[in-house]
Amino acid sequence: MIHLQFGGSTAERTLQCPGWVNASKNIKPRPAGAAALEGSMHHAVQEKCRLTDTLPEEHVGLIYEEDGKSQTFTEDDVDLAKIAYAAADAILDAHDVEEIYVEPFVQWVEGKRGGSIDLLGVSRDGKVAVLIDYKFGRVQVDASKAQMPFYAVCAKKDPQFAALLNDVETFHCVIIQPRGAGGTHSMTRVELADFEVKMDQAIRIASGGTAARHVGSHCLYCPAAPYCSEKRYQAVEATLLDPKDHSALSNAADWLVEVEAWVKAVKEEMHHQLSRGVRVDGWKLVAKQGKRGWEDEAALLAAARRAGLLKTLRKTSILSPAQAEKALKGRKFDLSAHIKPGSVGTTIATSDDAREPVIVTDIVGALATLMDQKQDQ
């Protein structure tokens, strides 16, 4: 996969913080984690389905390899892949797209600005373009952010697609996210032209080498984040809470997700550097607590049988509700009456989380208010 200096995945960051480019010089990207590898595997399956006119379930066993790591597409992955595949079909049908281009590499400026679009299609009448990007993670992705409009500009500028998109009046930028909300952001040709001007200006500023840095949600995945002074100031500022000022807590809460992401990025960078033999004062690399397993289950059971201990070692238990639902999928057996809802307490989540909020009565707060009112009388 080709990665240019200015691509779709960094477009929003470039718009919001052009200084990230200069700050990231000489910082090598951290190796892809398990989640990124899984997402790349799913992308490979979707690509193979479209290129060979096959369905996701036909690719069970596919092995995706990247940077010496591999991920196998299994039966457990099929449901997620089917959701993504069906969603793309529905969008293409809704806009009367007959011909699609799979993973086209498009360039705004050759060798400098560009990237790959997961799916690109144009309606039969040539008036509508559909650009689809798959996201298989749990972090919600906003279709109105710069990534997809950036790809639209690249496709419009690229000689191989310029004629195809010449009569397009509306560009539908679509995020398909099976584990999240996803969404569509539609732009007219004029709106895309306005975006092109803003994006071009941001890239020129970023290329200058003296651009300012600005913190925000766009810092996620920035290679310079662990070393960024602006992120450190944000983290410190979030800790300066006045216990008498409730608005201070609200302000800090607005930064909470960003600060947590920054702390995680710093820890990952520390682990990466320690693994390379770099010294980090006050920290060291240690082995994780391993989970023990059987060397050879068949040999163990045979030995237990000879010793008359087979029943002691080999016990059976009923499946969990989740395991039972999977095992009985497609069969006419209603489990709902036998399942009790589980709860392990409450936790906090951002307001856009899909879960219903827990209704809480602030008894202590209500009593305090009543007491204050009584003293004022």
Side-chain angles (χ1 to χ4, degrees):
M1 184 180 294
I2 302 173
H3 292 285
L4 302 183
Q5 183 179 23
F6 295 102
S9 61
T10 60
E12 183 67 22
R13 192 189 309 153
T14 301
L15 270 181
Q16 303 299 334
C17 178
W20 83 269
V21 176
N22 191 51
S24 299
K25 285 181 178 178
N26 303 319
I27 297 178
K28 294 182 179 180
R30 294 186 296 276
L37 191 64
E38 181 194 15
S40 296
M41 175 201 68
H42 273 290
H43 273 83
V45 170
Q46 296 297 322
E47 180 181 359
K48 200 166 186 65
C49 286
R50 296 295 172 182
L51 290 175
T52 61
D53 195 23
T54 52
L55 297 173
E57 55 266 35
E58 297 179 57
H59 299 288
V60 171
L62 178 144
I63 300 175
Y64 175 79
E65 296 182 351
E66 180 181 330
D67 296 332
K69 298 179 181 179
S70 64
Q71 180 95 8
T72 303
F73 184 68
T74 69
E75 290 282 357
D76 292 337
D77 301 311
V78 170
D79 285 347
L80 200 67
K82 289 171 71 174
I83 293 172
Y85 186 86
D89 265 355
I91 291 164
L92 295 171
D93 289 344
H95 296 292
D96 194 26
V97 174
E98 184 176 39
E99 185 176 1
I100 61 172
Y101 298 85
V102 182
E103 288 286 339
F105 183 73
V106 291
Q107 297 188 80
W108 180 349
V109 177
E110 187 175 356
K112 294 182 179 180
R113 308 180 191 179
S116 296
I117 306 171
D118 290 342
L119 278 182
L120 170 65
V122 178
S123 62
R124 199 185 303 270
D125 62 5
K127 302 296 184 183
V128 174
V130 177
L131 298 90
I132 294 177
D133 192 72
Y134 300 108
K135 302 291 184 186
F136 290 94
R138 290 181 171 82
V139 176
Q140 298 298 304
V141 180
D142 188 344
S144 67
K145 298 296 184 181
Q147 179 177 8
M148 298 306 286
F150 175 86
Y151 285 144
V153 172
C154 290
K156 189 166 66 74
K157 291 287 187 178
D158 196 300
Q160 62 178 326
F161 292 107
L164 177 71
L165 302 175
N166 190 55
D167 296 326
V168 170
E169 298 173 355
T170 306
F171 294 82
H172 293 297
C173 302
V174 184
I175 297 292
I176 293 179
Q177 191 170 9
R179 288 190 174 114
T184 299
H185 177 61
S186 301
M187 304 179 74
T188 65
R189 197 173 187 87
V190 172
E191 289 171 333
L192 186 62
D194 289 341
F195 169 83
E196 181 182 333
V197 172
K198 292 178 183 178
M199 192 75 237
D200 179 67
Q201 183 179 18
I203 291 174
R204 291 180 184 278
I205 293 173
S207 302
T210 58
R213 302 184 212 171
H214 305 284
V215 297
S217 58
H218 51 270
C219 297
L220 189 64
Y221 308 126
C222 177
Y227 306 97
C228 183
S229 57
E230 295 299 320
K231 292 300 291 185
R232 287 199 299 273
Y233 297 151
Q234 183 186 44
V236 171
E237 195 171 351
T239 66
L240 302 178
L241 295 178
D242 181 352
K244 297 179 181 179
D245 184 2
H246 282 251
S247 64
L249 181 61
S250 295
N251 292 334
D254 290 339
W255 299 334
L256 182 60
V257 174
E258 293 176 24
V259 172
E260 285 182 333
W262 175 73
V263 171
K264 182 175 182 240
V266 171
K267 286 184 174 181
E268 288 176 350
E269 180 66 8
M270 287 169 61
H271 183 272
H272 176 56
Q273 295 299 340
L274 286 166
S275 299
R276 296 175 59 229
V278 177
R279 180 179 175 180
V280 180
D281 291 340
W283 295 83
K284 62 183 178 180
L285 205 63
V286 297
K288 287 184 177 181
Q289 182 72 38
K291 185 178 180 181
R292 298 182 302 163
W294 300 118
E295 190 73 41
D296 187 334
E297 287 191 10
L300 169 67
L301 295 176
R305 187 181 294 108
R306 291 193 297 270
L309 298 172
L310 184 60
K311 289 185 178 180
T312 303
L313 287 181
R314 192 175 190 177
K315 294 183 178 180
T316 59
S317 60
I318 192 169
L319 298 177
S320 69
Q323 291 171 329
E325 287 173 339
K326 187 172 182 179
L328 297 175
K329 187 176 181 180
R331 300 187 185 183
K332 294 182 178 180
F333 186 80
D334 186 12
L335 287 169
S336 59
H338 304 280
I339 298 176
K340 65 177 181 179
S343 176
V344 290
T346 57
T347 186
I348 60 173
T350 53
S351 57
D352 59 354
D353 190 279
R355 292 168 290 185
E356 289 293 323
V358 174
I359 305 301
V360 178
T361 301
D362 186 4
I363 298 176
V364 176
L367 285 174
T369 301
L370 287 173
M371 292 298 292
D372 289 342
Q373 291 174 348
K374 191 170 183 179
Q375 289 177 356
D376 292 339
Q377 292 177 350

